């Protein structure tokens, strides 16, 4: 091991180790790995690489159980993003990441750099990004910070995504008091690449040059990864310096320069500098390739004077990449980055040592084996306690509202069920001109340029279900995106996940995580819907109060013929409305129970995955054969809400008659039974649909027809579409225009 000489190195005390988020056991393991006390720079490197954010030390034991393979999966977890085969030598590349802690501290920059980071994960693989999505959770609307955080996050997402020229095509936004002290900002990006032009991060070739490209390194974001691996306290505002600052215009230049570089044969390996910056990129590239890196920190482009090795290695300044090039192509590559007005510097080379060796001002300031930092980082089997699921609520025990129509209007105009147009109207969702289904439907749909194909994309999770029963809630989160993708006519292919939980050192929280993973695994297996990328975000809590467990799922599906796509809006008067799936009136854990009764109680609806698959496959087949004119999955708020959303989307009325049998009408209408859809079809297709359903063993029921200007549900309500729209559209603009 190289002797370390650094005159200004401070004493590495137990308190200093603790300040870096490491335990005493981890401190001793560091010393054992190095054979000596670490330098400050080395301590910083261990700190970020062994943080939850980078190492997954509390979660990877359980993540290993998730299904990740399928014939169409080209690259699963372990790369910057997952890759699936979409035919014709084309691949879809996608991933979801969290930027929760930074967005709470500094909402604009936190959200903006979250978008920038996930875009880099995608184009690092050689893909051109074609779509952004987001999954956002905020605290109670009454909380004094919620307006500020919502405004800043939305502005940050739009400000970055719009400027970089990638459309934001959909997502979800919810409110709940559990997020008062810890909002969630989960960003997803999807890109396209040729299968024979996909780039990986594993470095190779002793002597090959290591190149730094992009923006200069500053002091922003230092210890961002460590900060994202700790719960908040009253002094969290002081952590603003750990939040990165983004520049979307530089990101756009970087995208174009990297894509131009990757169109050549110069690149051996490439990696973006995300969490932990230069540290994580160099360690992961070296460890992945089984090689070492020697880096001369004097060559790192810096925008601030007097930066130390510690600061340079831990900075999370944005819009930076690390590239390994063929040695005879350096000058050729440099011309590309100079043309795009980006920094380009040879900062090191590949060695055969297996170590990350850092030199600065003629001295070695760090020399660390890379394997223990990355692939062999600590792995913990945290104690956990299974969540006890609550009892199922008998629908008959929940009193009917005095007026079903008033209840519906209250629900469509509530914080969690009202229109999100105020948000998505701030995003450019049509740049690149390939967005063919806009926000507001079940899934966004983006055309694969110059082809008949399209990708359907959905993000979803129902945290109240996961909180009540992590296993059933985990299953439902996967099934919901599967239904959303199916509902536009696409074949679900794979998911990415962003697993947001509280403190894993608490056995009850760890139990939520384990239960949710078990649910995800079962759903992905039965639905043939593998996990190909993702992120874990733990310690989402403030002063010991955790968020509702939120395993956000990003699903992607393929439409081989985009002309077969449907929306939630029925097109024609006279179209018949058909309910697919069985309704039992499951009322526990529903939006109805929360909004109308003020109760968050009961077991969530059970998810029968075999029925999910059978019903979804049936619906998709009917869409693909041209029988269906519109489709909407039934989820939050139940059947009445789904009908109202279809009426509002089409601007047309409906005449509905329900056969609710022994189930109380309000439970039948607002219950959240799973595996259900509403489809519309021409009257002359009804016999064909009934026959196909009988053959497939699928329960369907004709419930109404498109006509008039009102949602008319027999024995329940008559509400004009105009009145529905008025209630639906009003809440968020009114809320955001009100002073806190």
């Amino acid at each position: 091991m190289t002797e370390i000489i650094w005159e200004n190195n401070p004493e590495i005390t137990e308190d200093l180790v603790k300040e870096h988020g490491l335990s005493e056991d981890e401190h001793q393991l560091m010393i054992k790995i190095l054979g000596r006390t670490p330098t400050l720079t080395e301590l910083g490197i261990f700190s970020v690489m062994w943080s939850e954010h980078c190492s997954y030390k509390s979660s990877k034991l359980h993540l290993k159980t998730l299904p990740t393979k399928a014939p169409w999966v080209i690259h699963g977890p372990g790369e910057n993003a997952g890759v699936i085969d979409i035919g014709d030598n084309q691949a879809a590349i996608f991933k979801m990441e969290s930027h929760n802690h930074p967005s709470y501290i500094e909402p604009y920059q936190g959200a903006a750099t979250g978008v920038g980071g996930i875009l880099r994960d995608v184009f690092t693989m050689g893909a051109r990004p074609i779509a952004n999505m987001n999954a956002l959770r905020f605290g109670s609307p009454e909380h004094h910070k919620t307006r500020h955080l919502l405004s800043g996050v939305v502005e940050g997402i739009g400000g970055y995504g719009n400027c970089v020229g990638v459309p934001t095509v959909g997502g979800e936004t919810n409110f709940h008091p559990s997020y008062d002290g810890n909002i969630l900002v989960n960003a997803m990006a999807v890109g396209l690449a040729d299968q024979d032009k996909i780039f990986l991060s594993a470095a190779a070739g002793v002597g090959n040059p290591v190149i730094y490209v992009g923006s200069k390194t500053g002091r922003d974001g230092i210890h961002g990864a460590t900060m994202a691996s700790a719960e908040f306290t009253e002094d969290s505002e002081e952590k603003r310096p750990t939040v990165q600052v983004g520049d979307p215009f530089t990101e756009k230049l970087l995208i174009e320069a990297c894509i131009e570089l990757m169109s050549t044969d110069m690149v051996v390996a490439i990696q973006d500098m995300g969490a932990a910056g230069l540290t994580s990129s160099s360690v992961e590239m070296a460890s992945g390739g089984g090689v070492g890196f020697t880096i001369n920190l004097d060559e790192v482009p810096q925008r601030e004077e007097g930066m130390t090795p510690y600061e340079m290695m831990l900075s999370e300044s944005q819009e930076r990449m690390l590239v390994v090039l063929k040695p005879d192509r350096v000058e050729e590559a440099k011309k590309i980055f100079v043309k795009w007005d980006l920094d380009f510097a040879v900062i090191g080379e590949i060695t055969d040592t297996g170590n990350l060796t850092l030199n600065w001002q003629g001295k070695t300031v760090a020399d660390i084996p890379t394997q223990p930092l990355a692939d062999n980082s600590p792995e913990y089997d945290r104690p956990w306690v299974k969540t006890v699921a609550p009892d199922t609520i008998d629908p008959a025990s929940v009193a009917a509202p005095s007026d079903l129509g008033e209840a519906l209007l209250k629900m469509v105009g509530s914080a969690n069920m009202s229109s999100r147009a105020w948000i998505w109207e701030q995003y450019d969702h049509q740049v690149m001109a390939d967005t063919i289904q806009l926000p507001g439907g079940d899934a966004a749909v983006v055309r694969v340029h110059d082809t008949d194909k399209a990708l359907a994309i959905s993000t979803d999770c129902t945290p109240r279900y996961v909180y009540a029963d992590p296993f059933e809630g985990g299953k439902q989160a996967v099934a919901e995106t599967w239904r959303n993708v199916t509902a536009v006519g696409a074949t679900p292919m794979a998911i990415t996940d962003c697993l947001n939980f509280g403190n894993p050192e608490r056995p009850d929280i760890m139990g939520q995580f384990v239960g949710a993973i078990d649910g995800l695994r079962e759903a992905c297996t039965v639905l043939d819907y593998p996990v190909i990328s993702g992120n874990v975000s733990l310690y989402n809590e403030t002063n010991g109060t955790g968020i509702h467990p939120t395993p956000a799922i990003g699903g992607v599906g393929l439409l081989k013929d985009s002309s077969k796509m449907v929306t939630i809006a029925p097109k024609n008067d006279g179209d018949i409305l058909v309910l697919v799936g069985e309704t039992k009136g499951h009322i526990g854990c529903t939006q109805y129970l929360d909004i109308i009764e003020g109760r968050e109680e009961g077991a969530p609806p059970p998810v029968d995955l075999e029925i999910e698959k059978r019903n979804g496959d049936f619906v998709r087949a009917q869409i693909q054969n041209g029988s269906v004119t519109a489709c909407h999955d039934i989820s939050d708020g139940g059947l009445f809400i789904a009908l109202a959303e279809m009426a509002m989307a089409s601007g047309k009325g409906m005449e509905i008659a329900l056969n609710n049998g022994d189930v109380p009408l309000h439970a039948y209408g607002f219950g959240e039974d799973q595996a259900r859809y509403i489809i519309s079809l021409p009257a002359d297709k009804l016999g064909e649909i009934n026959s196909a359903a009988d053959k497939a063993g699928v329960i369907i029921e004709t419930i109404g027809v498109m006509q008039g200007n009102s949602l008319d549900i027999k024995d329940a309500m008559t509400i004009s579409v105009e009145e529905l729209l008025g209630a639906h559209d009003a809440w968020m603009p009114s809320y955001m225009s009100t002073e806190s």
Side-chain angles (χ1 to χ4, degrees):
M1 189 70 67
T2 304
E3 183 184 1
I4 304 294
I5 303 170
W6 190 14
E7 290 87 346
N8 297 318
N9 196 58
E11 183 184 356
I12 307 301
T13 63
E14 287 186 19
D15 286 345
L16 188 59
V17 171
K18 189 176 180 181
E19 284 174 20
H20 281 73
L22 295 169
S23 68
E24 181 55 28
D25 286 347
E26 289 167 341
H27 180 201
Q28 293 305 315
L29 182 57
M30 263 191 295
I31 293 172
K32 183 179 179 181
I33 290 166
L34 295 172
R36 54 174 170 77
T37 298
T39 66
L40 179 64
T41 302
E42 291 171 330
L43 175 62
I45 289 170
F46 275 103
S47 162
V48 292
M49 292 306 299
W50 286 1
S51 68
E52 287 285 357
H53 194 78
C54 291
S55 75
Y56 299 130
K57 58 190 177 186
S58 296
S59 60
K60 58 187 175 183
L61 177 72
H62 304 283
L63 296 175
K64 293 173 184 175
T65 68
L66 293 171
T68 60
K69 300 184 185 300
W72 52 90
V73 174
I74 297 173
H75 292 291
E79 287 296 335
N80 287 289
V83 186
I84 57 171
D85 179 356
I86 60 169
D88 309 308
N89 193 43
Q90 292 181 306
I93 299 177
F94 57 94
K95 189 181 181 184
M96 185 187 285
E97 276 265 12
S98 62
H99 233 227
N100 305 334
H101 289 61
S103 298
Y104 183 78
I105 295 169
E106 180 53 64
Y108 182 95
Q109 290 296 347
T113 52
V115 173
I118 199 64
L119 286 171
R120 285 193 298 281
D121 278 337
V122 165
F123 75 74
T124 296
M125 303 276 303
R128 179 172 290 281
I130 63 164
N132 288 325
M133 299 278 285
N134 50 73
L136 312 177
R137 267 88 188 178
F138 297 95
S140 166
E142 288 75 37
H143 191 270
H144 67 279
K145 277 192 170 184
T146 298
R147 280 186 188 84
H148 162 69
L149 292 168
L150 174 59
S151 176
V153 165
V154 170
E155 191 177 353
I157 291 169
Y160 203 99
N162 295 352
C163 292
V164 85
V166 179
T168 300
V169 295
E172 53 172 344
T173 303
N174 296 117
F175 302 89
H176 190 273
S178 74
Y179 306 104
D180 281 349
N182 199 125
I183 65 174
L184 302 184
V185 176
N186 297 170
M188 178 179 174
V190 182
L192 293 171
D194 291 340
Q195 293 181 25
D196 54 358
K197 294 180 180 175
I198 293 168
F199 291 82
L200 306 179
S201 60
V206 173
N208 280 343
V210 177
I211 315 296
Y212 173 120
V213 300
S215 292
K216 288 180 168 63
T217 294
R219 290 188 170 95
D220 56 314
I222 292 173
H223 271 300
T226 308
M227 177 269 291
S229 306
E231 66 179 86
F232 285 136
T233 60
E234 289 90 347
D235 64 352
S236 292
E237 295 292 325
E238 298 173 7
K239 295 180 179 179
R240 287 181 187 274
T242 64
V243 178
Q244 312 89 333
V245 178
D247 180 352
F249 299 104
T250 300
E251 180 97 340
K252 176 62 175 172
L253 298 177
L254 189 59
I255 290 172
E256 298 303 331
C258 287
I259 288 175
E260 183 175 339
L261 179 72
M262 290 186 281
S263 69
T264 71
D265 63 348
M266 305 181 202
V267 178
V268 177
I270 185 167
Q271 175 82 314
D272 77 297
M273 296 192 211
L278 184 54
T279 290
S280 63
S281 56
S282 55
V283 168
E284 289 167 6
M285 292 179 83
S287 177
V291 296
F293 272 26
T294 291
I295 292 177
N296 181 2
L297 294 173
D298 299 314
E299 300 300 324
V300 172
Q302 300 160 55
R303 67 169 181 259
E304 299 186 48
E305 292 185 4
M307 291 191 71
T308 65
Y310 181 97
E311 292 171 326
M312 282 185 271
M313 292 305 296
L314 269 62
S315 166
E316 294 183 10
S317 295
Q318 298 291 284
E319 294 87 40
R320 302 180 300 158
M321 309 283 285
L322 204 60
V323 188
V324 175
L325 291 177
K326 295 177 180 177
D328 58 343
R329 310 296 293 277
V330 172
E331 289 304 313
E332 191 179 349
K334 183 177 180 177
K335 289 177 182 177
I336 294 172
F337 287 89
V338 169
K339 181 183 76 173
W340 289 102
D341 198 26
L342 295 165
D343 276 285
F344 179 102
V346 180
I347 65 169
E349 66 176 23
I350 292 179
T351 68
D352 62 1
T353 64
N355 284 12
L356 175 65
T357 305
L358 305 178
N359 298 318
W360 179 65
Q361 297 184 356
K363 300 181 178 70
T364 299
V365 295
D367 192 23
I368 311 175
T370 62
Q371 289 291 331
L373 286 172
D375 300 333
N376 298 326
S377 59
E379 179 177 312
Y380 298 130
D381 185 1
R382 301 279 194 196
W384 60 275
V385 175
K386 185 177 180 179
T387 304
V388 179
D391 294 334
T392 298
I393 295 177
D394 180 357
S397 71
V398 178
S402 57
D403 188 312
L404 281 168
E406 285 183 7
L408 178 63
L409 286 171
K410 184 176 181 179
M411 289 180 69
V412 299
S414 65
N416 279 321
M417 305 214 72
S418 59
S419 169
R420 299 299 187 246
W422 182 89
I423 294 174
W424 57 257
E425 284 173 353
Q426 297 183 54
Y427 305 151
D428 189 340
H429 40 268
Q430 291 190 308
V431 65
M432 303 175 78
D434 280 319
T435 307
I436 57 175
Q437 184 153 170
L438 304 181
D442 283 321
V445 183
V446 181
R447 185 187 296 108
V448 177
H449 199 67
D450 287 336
T451 75
D452 294 328
K453 297 181 294 191
L455 297 177
I457 314 162
S458 171
T459 59
D460 222 300
C461 180
T462 312
R464 65 184 184 275
Y465 291 176
V466 189
Y467 180 73
D469 185 336
F471 178 68
E472 288 296 333
K475 287 196 300 183
Q476 195 274 341
V478 174
E480 177 67 16
T481 70
W482 194 88
R483 283 201 301 271
N484 287 338
V485 168
T486 291
V488 300
T491 301
M493 301 285 286
I495 69 167
T496 182
D497 57 35
C498 195
L499 308 177
N500 308 272
F501 290 79
N503 186 342
E505 297 167 53
R506 289 169 51 189
D508 59 326
I509 300 297
M510 199 64 210
Q512 292 175 347
F513 184 86
V514 172
I517 289 288
D518 288 345
L520 263 64
R521 179 176 62 252
E522 186 162 316
C524 290
T525 301
V526 175
L527 298 175
D528 209 9
Y529 198 33
V531 183
I532 65 164
S533 61
N535 169 241
V536 178
S537 176
L538 303 177
Y539 295 94
N540 289 290
E541 55 184 74
T542 299
N543 296 327
T545 301
I547 62 164
H548 271 185
T550 310
I553 305 298
V556 174
L558 176 66
L559 268 161
K560 291 184 179 179
D561 181 354
S562 60
S563 69
K564 301 286 183 66
M565 178 195 77
V566 298
T567 71
I568 70 170
K571 306 296 188 297
N572 309 305
D573 288 339
D575 276 0
I576 304 297
L577 294 162
V578 173
L579 171 61
V580 179
E582 188 175 11
T583 302
K584 297 179 180 179
H586 186 99
I587 204 73
C589 240
T590 58
Q591 290 282 8
Y592 174 86
L593 202 66
D594 180 15
I595 297 167
I596 304 303
E597 293 282 320
R599 298 162 57 189
E600 295 185 28
E601 298 172 21
V607 181
D608 187 318
L609 293 163
E610 297 293 346
I611 295 175
E612 284 282 3
K613 190 163 191 329
R614 182 166 64 237
N615 291 1
D617 289 348
F618 167 77
V619 167
R620 190 183 315 107
Q622 303 315 306
I623 295 172
Q624 289 297 315
N625 69 24
S627 299
V628 173
T629 56
C631 179
H632 192 13
D633 97 298
I634 301 174
S635 53
D636 271 358
L639 174 61
F640 287 170
I641 292 291
L643 289 168
E645 289 171 343
M646 294 179 82
M648 289 187 286
S650 67
K652 298 179 181 295
M654 301 173 170
E655 293 269 349
I656 304 293
L658 300 173
N659 179 22
N660 55 299
D662 296 332
V663 180
L665 186 55
H666 66 290
Y668 195 92
F670 292 119
E672 295 179 6
D673 305 275
Q674 300 293 293
R676 296 184 300 159
Y677 305 77
I678 302 166
I679 56 176
S680 68
L681 56 139
D684 62 3
K685 294 286 187 180
L686 187 56
E688 202 176 294
I689 287 279
N690 282 325
S691 176
D694 282 343
K695 188 175 179 180
V698 172
I699 296 172
I700 69 170
E701 179 186 353
T702 300
I703 61 171
V705 61
M706 298 298 301
Q707 63 183 42
N709 300 305
S710 298
L711 174 60
D712 187 347
I713 302 176
K714 187 179 179 181
D715 299 327
M717 68 189 79
T718 299
I719 306 173
S720 72
V721 175
E722 185 179 4
E723 193 174 2
L724 283 169
L725 283 165
H728 189 57
D729 293 344
W731 184 84
M732 189 164 283
S734 174
Y735 175 72
M736 293 307 297
S737 65
T738 305
E739 293 293 326
S740 299

